[in-house]
Amino acid sequence: MLIMVMRRPSGLKKAAGIVLLEVLVSVVVLAFGVLGIIGLQAAAIQHTTAAKHRLDASFIANERIGRMWGQPSALADFAETNTDIKDAFPEAGLPNGTRTTEIDGQRVTVTVTWQAPTADRPSNVVVVAHIVI
């Protein structure tokens, strides 16, 4: 009776775990890539929200100045300090948003201030205009 014995080449014993190691390294590299993409997405959302807040604040300040240009003889009536803008502009969604209007002769300064929940300090937009009576 003839029995054949198959032998492995001697190099395979030494390389038997290399494939498993390559797969493990590939999974680690992929995991770091996915974490990087998630971090970029979070930063993009944060910057987009900040840009929307700045845009809304600019709109609110310019709207106030537009009203003042429409009634230049009544500039003194527009003076205000830390007026809550939530009721006047509910669609703006500025967290803790306030508006201050200072009038110095023909120079008008409108400051819109807000503070995002994750921010450590308030942000503001300042618009200065000269309104000639």
Side-chain angles (χ1 to χ4, degrees):
M1 177 156 78
L2 186 62
I3 300 177
M4 291 188 77
V5 177
M6 297 189 67
R7 294 185 176 174
R8 288 191 211 179
S10 61
L12 281 181
K13 284 185 178 181
K14 294 178 183 177
I18 196 75
V19 173
L20 185 59
L21 183 61
E22 287 176 353
V23 170
L24 183 61
V25 169
S26 300
V27 168
V28 169
V29 169
L30 180 67
F32 277 116
V34 170
L35 286 174
I37 290 172
I38 290 171
L40 287 174
Q41 185 69 26
I45 290 170
Q46 184 179 15
H47 291 297
T48 302
T49 302
K52 183 190 181 313
H53 287 159
R54 285 191 305 275
L55 177 69
D56 289 345
S58 295
F59 171 77
I60 291 167
N62 285 316
E63 188 272 341
R64 184 71 167 174
I65 289 175
R67 287 182 185 267
M68 296 169 95
W69 276 333
Q71 301 174 6
S73 60
L75 282 182
D77 296 340
F78 287 98
E80 63 183 352
T81 302
N82 292 329
T83 302
D84 189 8
I85 58 174
K86 177 175 41 176
D87 297 332
F89 298 96
E91 68 279 355
L94 287 177
N96 305 316
T98 61
R99 179 180 62 201
T100 298
T101 304
E102 299 172 351
I103 300 166
D104 183 17
Q106 294 178 344
R107 182 181 176 175
V108 175
T109 304
V110 179
T111 305
V112 178
T113 305
W114 72 96
Q115 184 165 1
T118 58
D120 54 346
R121 59 188 168 96
S123 301
N124 62 21
V125 167
V126 178
V127 178
V128 178
H130 292 275
I131 299 178
V132 180
I133 300 174

